[in-house]
Amino acid sequence: MKRDSIYYQIFKRFPGLLFELVDEPPEQAPNYRFESVEVKETAFRIDGVFLPPEGVTPRIIFFAEVQFQKNEALYHRLFTESMMYLNRNQGEYDDWYCVVIFPSRSLEPSDKTTHRIFLNSDQVQRIYLDDLGTPNQQPIGINLMQLTIASDKVMAEQAKQLIERVQLEETGILPKNELIDIITTIAVYKLSSLSREEVEAMLGLTLEETRVYKEAKAEGRQEQKTEMLRAVVPLLIEKGMTVEQIAQQLNVDVEAVQSAAQQSASSHHE
């Protein structure tokens, strides 16, 4: 699971959604936290780990993998990393499970023999999103995950219907505004070729009110600020001002001024 994937955002904000796919979720499922963890003394980092809340018994850890590309080595890596993490954290957990999410069966590794001891056990669940049924007949959480595999032709309509469901139905512990934010994020992510106005018309809402738009706007402002520093800092340095004086004058961090100076110097040497 890539850190910048849409599923990383979904599970980070709504860790409880994973357990809508699990046959027998733990009693404390809503209180799990989603993290990226390191396997010490190795080069492994596991991006999809659901850690149980403090003080619960039994302490059950869930490893999650979302695979949207064909990768024959997936199971080799997933089970190796999971076992190494458990080995490095002996005594901290009472049980473990793996949940592997595929858009369709066609993307699952063809070798299901090598790791059959895991794949044929109740500790590993494989989820195929296109097997879960008609989107608008599923729970909102599952419908949200199905949205990530919708084709461009139906994506906007499914997103609009899901937003309407969120507005009208009871969503339990999932905040309505947070759900609408992530639905919008998925839509913008998948409809990137369309203008903001076109996406707004399709979804029936104003993107300026959503997190994805505010974050994009903030990123744009940061880029403008960076470009300004790259242009101004060298000129002020030539006038004899120190990095600290420039930072104070422009009301920015010293590190930002140093970075702009270094980038300017590098571009001149190229």
Side-chain angles (χ1 to χ4, degrees):
M1 185 189 301
K2 300 298 184 184
R3 284 168 170 271
D4 58 352
S5 71
I6 194 66
Y7 266 87
Y8 190 87
Q9 295 184 48
I10 290 174
F11 287 145
K12 191 65 177 175
R13 292 164 67 177
F14 309 116
L17 287 182
L18 177 84
F19 299 103
E20 294 205 20
L21 300 170
V22 176
D23 291 338
E24 296 183 9
E27 291 185 5
Q28 294 292 327
N31 299 320
Y32 269 66
R33 70 182 191 276
F34 177 71
E35 296 291 349
S36 173
V37 299
E38 287 188 37
V39 182
K40 295 181 180 179
E41 300 177 20
T42 74
F44 290 142
R45 172 172 289 276
I46 309 175
D47 282 335
V49 180
F50 289 78
L51 300 172
E54 295 294 331
V56 301
T57 303
R59 288 179 58 77
I60 304 173
I61 186 172
F62 286 78
F63 300 99
E65 183 74 25
V66 180
Q67 190 64 33
F68 271 52
Q69 295 179 339
K70 189 76 170 182
N71 182 357
E72 290 294 342
L74 170 66
Y75 289 143
H76 298 292
R77 175 183 59 76
L78 175 61
F79 296 129
T80 298
E81 292 177 350
S82 300
M83 293 305 101
M84 289 187 72
Y85 181 78
L86 290 172
N87 182 52
R88 300 293 183 189
N89 295 275
Q90 292 184 41
E92 291 192 23
Y93 305 105
D94 303 306
D95 205 352
W96 65 273
Y97 290 89
C98 277
V99 181
V100 191
I101 301 172
F102 298 99
S104 65
R105 293 177 183 272
S106 64
L107 291 182
E108 185 175 12
S110 56
D111 178 8
K112 302 180 185 65
T113 302
T114 303
H115 299 289
R116 62 189 181 280
I117 190 171
F118 295 129
L119 296 175
N120 295 335
S121 76
D122 64 354
Q123 285 185 290
V124 177
Q125 291 190 44
R126 290 168 283 173
I127 309 296
Y128 311 100
L129 294 179
D130 62 352
D131 282 357
L132 295 179
T134 306
N136 58 14
Q137 296 177 357
Q138 303 303 312
I140 285 177
I142 291 179
N143 198 171
L144 175 65
M145 287 182 271
Q146 288 178 307
L147 189 63
T148 63
I149 64 168
S151 67
D152 292 346
K153 291 183 179 179
V154 301
M155 198 285 160
E157 184 59 31
Q158 284 191 20
K160 185 176 181 179
Q161 290 178 356
L162 184 53
I163 289 172
E164 292 174 351
R165 284 190 63 190
V166 170
Q167 293 171 333
L168 295 174
E169 297 180 18
E170 177 59 46
T171 59
I173 63 173
L174 301 175
K176 290 179 180 287
N177 62 324
E178 288 281 320
L179 283 169
I180 292 175
D181 267 344
I182 200 67
I183 294 168
T184 307
T185 300
I186 296 171
V188 171
Y189 177 79
K190 298 199 64 163
L191 302 174
S192 58
S193 61
L194 302 181
S195 67
R196 192 192 84 194
E197 290 76 13
E198 289 173 318
V199 176
E200 286 180 336
M202 287 182 172
L203 301 183
L205 50 74
T206 302
L207 288 183
E208 288 186 1
E209 300 172 357
T210 63
R211 175 181 296 187
V212 65
Y213 177 80
K214 292 175 181 176
E215 289 178 348
K217 193 172 182 180
E219 288 175 4
R221 285 198 296 266
Q222 183 59 42
E223 288 179 4
Q224 291 177 348
K225 185 176 181 179
T226 301
E227 289 299 324
M228 180 273 290
L229 289 175
R230 287 175 183 169
V232 173
V233 167
L235 298 177
L236 297 179
I237 289 177
E238 287 180 4
K239 291 183 177 182
M241 292 181 66
T242 66
V243 169
E244 290 75 14
Q245 289 172 333
I246 296 172
Q248 185 175 11
Q249 183 71 26
L250 299 179
N251 193 27
V252 296
D253 294 333
V254 169
E255 290 78 9
V257 177
Q258 291 173 333
S259 176
Q262 292 170 356
Q263 290 174 9
S264 176
S266 297
S267 64
H268 284 305
H269 287 301
E270 291 177 354

